[in-house]
Amino acid sequence: MTQKSELIETEDLHARAMAAAGYIRSVARMQPRLGLILGSGLGDFAETVEDATILPYHEIPNFPVSTVAGHSGRLVVGKIGDIPVAVMQGRVHAYEGYSMKEVTFPTRVLGLLGVERLIVTNAAGGINPNYGQGAIVAISDHINLTGTNAVVGPNESRFGPRFFDMTHAYSSALRKLASDEATKQGWKLAEGVYVAVLGPSYETPAEIRAFRTLGADLVGMSTVHEVIVARHMGIEVLGLSVVTNMAAGVLDQPINHEEVMETGKRIAGQFTNLLTALIPQLAAQSQE
Ligand code: HPA
C-alpha cells in the first residue's frame, strides 16, 4: 500500500528485517537452515512440520499480511525430518497493492534467520502445451515482466552487492535433486521458464502467445522478486510451479481462482511427498 510502503524505506529495511528476525528467533528458538514459501493452494504442506512454532504474520513485527483467500498468512518454524525449516504459509503479492520491498520483506527475514537454501513454490498457468493441468514443474529460469525490481533504490550492502549475477538464479544442482527424487517416486518433473506478470487480471490469449514467443513455459504473479532478493543475499534457490490451469487461450475456457485453488489441493499429496523426501537431501548437501 502506498502509505505502508513508505514505512519500508531502504535505510531502515535492514533494521526492520532484523526486528522481525529477532522476534521469530525469540519465539521459535530454532535456527532454520532452509526456507520454504508456499504458494496458492499449496499451504497444506506446512501441516507436516514437526515441533512447530506457528507465528501468524500479523504477530511478527513489520511483516506484511495477505488479503487473498487461500493464503493463510503464518510462518511455521520447526522440523522436516531432522532439518530445521521456516515455512511461509502464504505470501503477499504486488497486485494487492504492496511494494516489491514489502513483497520480499519475508525473504529478507529468512535470509537474516540464516537460511542457506530457499524453495519457492507457486501456482502458475501452463503456457507450454506439453504440461497437463496439475503438473509440477521445476523453474529453470525466469523473465521478469512486472516492470519493476525489488532491489531498486539505494543498495543495502549488509544484504548484498549493488550488482549481482542472475545466471544461476535457479540452482541446477537443486533441480537435479528434485528431478531425481520425482523419478524415484514414479513421475517426471518437467522444467520450464517462468514469466512473472503483475496481475491480478489473468492474461489475454494474445499476451500468452507473446510470452510463448519470448520463451516462457509458465506464467504467474509471484516468485521472481523473492528469487531476486534471495540471490542478492547469496541464498540458493529451487523454484517449483504447480500448473493449476492452462494459460489463457491454450484451452478454450475461462480461468478462475477457484480452479487454481482446487488444482493445488488435488496435487497436494504428490507435492508433499516430493518436498518431504527432498528437504533432508537439500540440507544434507549444504553441509558439504
Ligand atoms: N496466470 C497468472 N497467474 C496464475 C495463473 C495464470 O494463468 N494460474 C495461476 N496463477
Side-chain angles (χ1 to χ4, degrees):
M1 323 266 138
T2 314
Q3 210 184 355
K4 207 175 161 211
S5 65
E6 283 163 6
L7 294 175
I8 302 191
E9 294 295 338
T10 305
E11 303 90 71
D12 67 3
L13 178 63
H14 191 269
R16 288 178 164 274
M18 288 290 279
Y23 173 80
I24 294 164
R25 249 187 235 116
S26 72
V27 178
R29 304 194 168 278
M30 196 183 284
Q31 189 188 321
R33 296 188 34 219
L34 184 113
L36 177 58
I37 303 177
L38 297 173
S40 304
L42 305 173
D44 287 356
F45 179 75
E47 314 298 334
T48 67
V49 174
E50 290 158 13
D51 298 334
T53 303
I54 295 170
L55 299 105
Y57 291 161
H58 66 86
E59 289 180 6
I60 305 173
N62 308 316
F63 238 60
V65 177
S66 177
T67 60
V68 187
H71 294 262
S72 297
R74 30 189 231 165
L75 182 73
V76 181
V77 182
K79 289 193 167 176
I80 305 281
D82 288 336
I83 312 307
V85 295
V87 180
M88 284 179 59
Q89 197 175 24
R91 55 153 71 89
V92 300
H93 297 81
Y95 62 69
E96 295 173 71
Y98 291 98
S99 72
M100 288 304 179
K101 291 253 175 335
E102 288 170 303
V103 167
T104 56
F105 183 82
T107 309
R108 292 294 192 196
V109 174
L110 291 178
L112 291 179
L113 286 172
V115 312
E116 300 147 349
R117 291 183 163 178
L118 179 66
I119 305 179
V120 193
T121 71
N122 60 54
I127 297 176
N128 186 328
N130 296 326
Y131 301 157
Q133 201 180 4
I136 301 177
V137 183
I139 302 175
S140 57
D141 206 342
H142 77 216
I143 301 172
N144 176 12
L145 289 187
T146 64
T148 182
N149 190 301
V151 287
V152 161
N155 185 54
E156 172 51 80
S157 59
R158 284 170 290 186
F159 285 127
R162 169 79 293 182
F163 301 106
F164 52 100
D165 187 62
M166 290 290 284
T167 311
H168 302 290
Y170 299 83
S171 159
S172 51
L174 299 191
R175 249 175 15 246
K176 167 128 183 32
L177 282 177
S179 169
D180 288 350
E181 181 55 41
T183 304
K184 210 185 287 175
Q185 297 189 8
W187 53 278
K188 183 165 168 39
L189 181 67
E191 277 197 15
V193 173
Y194 176 96
V195 60
V197 294
L198 202 51
S201 55
Y202 291 116
E203 301 68 39
T204 64
E207 286 168 337
I208 294 302
R209 287 193 299 276
F211 296 165
R212 185 178 296 124
T213 306
L214 290 176
D217 299 295
L218 302 152
V219 58
M221 304 172 192
S222 67
T223 301
V224 300
H225 295 276
E226 293 153 342
V227 173
I228 289 169
V229 160
R231 295 307 296 147
H232 187 225
M233 294 185 289
I235 296 170
E236 249 187 305
V237 174
L238 173 67
L240 294 174
S241 286
V242 172
V243 177
T244 51
N245 56 279
M246 295 315 288
V250 175
L251 308 174
D252 188 19
Q253 62 191 44
I255 300 163
N256 64 73
H257 184 62
E258 287 67 39
E259 175 188 29
V260 168
M261 298 303 293
E262 275 163 26
T263 309
K265 297 269 177 261
R266 183 159 61 75
I267 58 87
Q270 185 186 359
F271 184 74
T272 295
N273 289 344
L274 175 67
L275 289 181
T276 306
L278 192 58
I279 286 170
Q281 298 175 38
L282 298 193
Q285 254 218 349
S286 67
Q287 280 172 327
E288 286 164 9

